[in-house]
Amino acid sequence: MPEVSPNKRLRDWRQRAGLTRAEMARIVNLTKNGIKYTLACDEERIRRWEAGEVSWPREPYRLALTEVTHLAPEDLGFTPTKRTRTVERTSITARVRNLVGPGEGEKVVRRREFVGLTGATLFSAVLTQPGSVQGVAVDVEKIAAVLVDHSTPMNSPTDLKSLASTVAAAKRDYQACRYAQVTAKLPTLLRSLRATCASLDGEERLRAQALSAEAYHVTASILLKQEDKGLAWLAADRSVQAAHASQSPLMIGSSARVITRALMDGGHHHAATDLARGAAERMDADLAVPSADDLSVYGSLLLCGAIAAANSGSRHNAAELLDEATEVGARLGHDANHMWTAFGPTNVLCHRVNAALRLGDAGTAIDYARQVELNKLSISERKATLLLDTARAFLMWNQHDKALHLLRAAGELAPEEITGRPSALRMVRDILDTAPSTIRREVREYVAILGVGA
């Protein structure tokens, strides 16, 4: 007996297009809105629409159908209900709070709770930058050439005002997680700084050296994220050398942070702890009337030391340094970005999350994460790092759904923090390898979007 379809117009359109129900479902999922809302249309859903069992699909599906057919839902045979309701699009901050907030350990996190967290932003970043990984690799090679160049600078010096503006832009790009953009600009910037330092004298040369210290700091940070240990160490050392040449205690203290991170990255956690603690103590001895910059660098050094101590398994040292940093944060009295540190009470709390995670205390890390007010963090890199740390903690707890949704949240805030970092992509694969059957399909869809090999 032939099928009678109350929604004949939708069926007729599909048949004229020469599509099976399964094929149409796949096309719906691959539309802009299908990707944005991670739709899960299937053959059964198409059948129900055509059979009139659904009079008015949910908005994401209506939008996707309009993309596919170029027809309004009413023209496809759907009938809107008289009852309407206002759908509020919850902010990322609120959704993260709902996910990790108190009591969520007992609640089921539904797949649609984080609708849109991957969103067009992340998907577009993956699709529109097919050569981004290769491009970054080429730029890293150019950075390597600059770092090992000891010849006499051939290019002309640049005025300090222009250099200061370019260095500040590099810092902002890094903190906004625009890693490919800043990496592409670093070779030219480093060469300009080298030529300028060689051509100046007196106070101007000291200022140029301070700018060099900051530029090499950014360079080392990018290379650490790329897990290029050798070049990262070289750039970090150049930052410290330039900082000492600038004769600025602030720059010396600031550059000690990146050399500490380079030591940690190489597994030298005890040396990293000692270096950070020593640099902090030297700053503290010189801080009779500390400025906001002084307190921010001092507190950031304590945080670096705390993470290094946690890496070595030293709970006592980690707790001691974190407590000291908490006191410094209280003295500063607000969350800020003095000296590009993003230091403040909230950042201290974020480091408690990270330290607990490194010590293997997933539950403690999650408890700290629940205390963080995400909107107090103005730096995208800090927000994304917190979300990834919390995702790792949930993964350690075998709560794969929450880990995946937080990973997506990080990708929405900072796409390159996911697509451009080996450690983040490894976590995606870890989730895929260990995900239970209840969310395996969702994980596979996300992996397919990222193009991560299993």
Side-chain angles (χ1 to χ4, degrees):
M1 181 177 180
E3 178 185 1
V4 177
S5 174
N7 205 342
K8 185 174 181 296
R9 279 176 283 181
L10 176 62
R11 186 193 64 184
D12 287 349
W13 183 95
R14 175 179 60 78
Q15 291 177 343
R16 285 196 304 271
L19 299 173
T20 66
R21 286 171 177 162
E23 288 169 342
M24 184 170 179
R26 283 195 294 272
I27 292 172
V28 167
N29 291 335
L30 290 173
T31 61
K32 179 179 177 181
N33 282 285
I35 293 165
K36 179 177 181 180
Y37 296 107
T38 59
L39 298 183
C41 191
D42 55 18
E43 185 176 358
E44 173 60 18
R45 190 182 296 270
I46 299 294
R47 186 202 66 77
R48 292 180 63 221
W49 286 344
E50 293 181 350
E53 295 176 14
V54 177
S55 60
W56 192 244
R58 291 191 297 112
E59 183 179 23
Y61 286 101
R62 296 199 306 273
L63 294 172
L65 275 172
T66 298
E67 280 190 73
V68 172
T69 64
H70 302 289
L71 295 172
E74 293 88 344
D75 294 332
L76 292 170
F78 294 110
T79 305
T81 59
K82 293 181 180 180
R83 181 187 177 194
T84 60
R85 54 180 180 170
T86 302
V87 179
E88 297 182 356
R89 189 181 178 92
T90 310
S91 67
I92 289 176
T93 299
R95 279 176 279 174
V96 170
R97 186 183 303 117
N98 289 339
L99 187 63
V100 302
E104 280 295 318
E106 294 74 36
K107 294 181 180 179
V108 176
V109 180
R110 299 187 183 278
R111 179 178 181 181
R112 298 302 170 205
E113 186 173 351
F114 266 58
V115 163
L117 278 180
T118 7
T121 304
L122 178 58
F123 193 79
S124 296
V126 176
L127 288 189
T128 61
Q129 298 177 11
S132 61
V133 175
Q134 182 180 358
V136 169
V138 171
D139 291 327
V140 168
E141 287 302 305
K142 293 177 181 178
I143 290 173
V146 175
L147 291 175
V148 299
D149 184 6
H150 295 282
S151 63
T152 302
M154 299 299 293
N155 48 329
S156 302
T158 308
D159 69 276
L160 290 179
K161 184 176 180 180
S162 176
L163 279 174
S165 176
T166 305
V167 170
K171 289 278 193 177
R172 285 192 296 271
D173 284 340
Y174 174 80
Q175 291 190 332
C177 302
R178 294 189 287 265
Y179 301 135
Q181 184 171 318
V182 68
T183 303
K185 295 177 180 178
L186 281 172
T188 300
L189 174 59
L190 295 177
R191 284 195 175 91
S192 296
L193 283 164
R194 186 163 171 261
T196 304
C197 287
S199 67
L200 297 177
D201 294 307
E203 291 296 323
E204 287 189 331
R205 182 168 186 169
L206 296 180
R207 177 59 180 149
Q209 292 287 6
L211 291 172
S212 292
E214 291 185 325
Y216 281 117
H217 192 145
V218 174
T219 303
S221 298
I222 288 285
L223 294 169
L224 285 169
K225 285 186 179 288
Q226 292 295 314
E227 299 185 3
D228 195 324
K229 292 179 171 59
L231 286 181
W233 176 261
L234 186 55
D237 185 60
R238 291 290 173 82
S239 179
V240 171
Q241 289 184 36
H244 280 276
S246 76
Q247 300 178 22
S248 166
L250 266 177
M251 291 312 307
I252 293 170
S254 183
S255 289
R257 294 183 296 136
V258 76
I259 205 77
T260 299
R261 289 167 53 203
L263 281 169
M264 279 192 284
D265 201 56
H268 308 292
H269 305 306
H270 292 292
T273 304
D274 292 343
L275 174 65
R277 189 194 290 273
E281 288 174 351
R282 284 190 295 275
M283 282 202 70
D284 188 32
D286 295 333
L287 297 182
V289 184
S291 66
D293 285 351
D294 294 325
L295 289 173
S296 296
V297 172
Y298 174 41
S300 294
L301 282 167
L302 294 171
L303 292 178
C304 286
I307 299 305
N311 272 329
S312 68
S314 178
R315 294 176 181 273
H316 173 76
N317 284 333
E320 184 178 66
L321 288 164
L322 284 167
D323 288 344
E324 289 182 41
T326 299
E327 292 176 7
V328 177
R331 289 169 66 186
L332 182 62
H334 60 281
D335 295 294
N337 193 28
H338 301 293
M339 290 294 293
W340 307 98
T341 60
F343 182 75
T346 303
N347 200 7
V348 174
L349 194 55
C350 291
H351 279 72
R352 288 190 181 276
V353 175
N354 188 270
L357 185 65
R358 291 170 188 265
L359 288 166
D361 300 334
T364 301
I366 292 167
D367 286 342
Y368 281 130
R370 286 170 174 161
Q371 299 174 39
V372 176
E373 295 183 48
L374 202 63
N375 58 0
K376 287 188 175 181
L377 293 171
S378 60
I379 308 302
S380 295
E381 192 270 343
R382 289 285 86 209
K383 290 180 181 179
T385 298
L386 171 68
L387 293 174
L388 290 174
D389 283 346
T390 312
R392 288 188 181 94
F394 276 120
L395 185 57
M396 289 170 64
W397 259 12
N398 291 320
Q399 295 191 22
H400 294 73
D401 50 356
K402 294 185 179 182
L404 177 62
H405 293 316
L406 284 167
L407 189 73
R408 285 180 162 184
E412 178 76 4
L413 286 166
E416 287 188 58
E417 192 69 26
I418 305 298
T419 60
R421 291 200 63 190
S423 61
L425 295 178
R426 281 197 297 272
M427 182 160 63
V428 175
R429 285 191 288 267
D430 288 343
I431 294 174
L432 175 64
D433 291 342
T434 59
S437 58
T438 52
I439 69 160
R440 188 172 295 277
R441 176 179 175 179
E442 183 180 3
V443 179
R444 284 175 176 165
E445 290 172 356
Y446 187 58
V447 168
I449 289 174
L450 292 177
V452 180

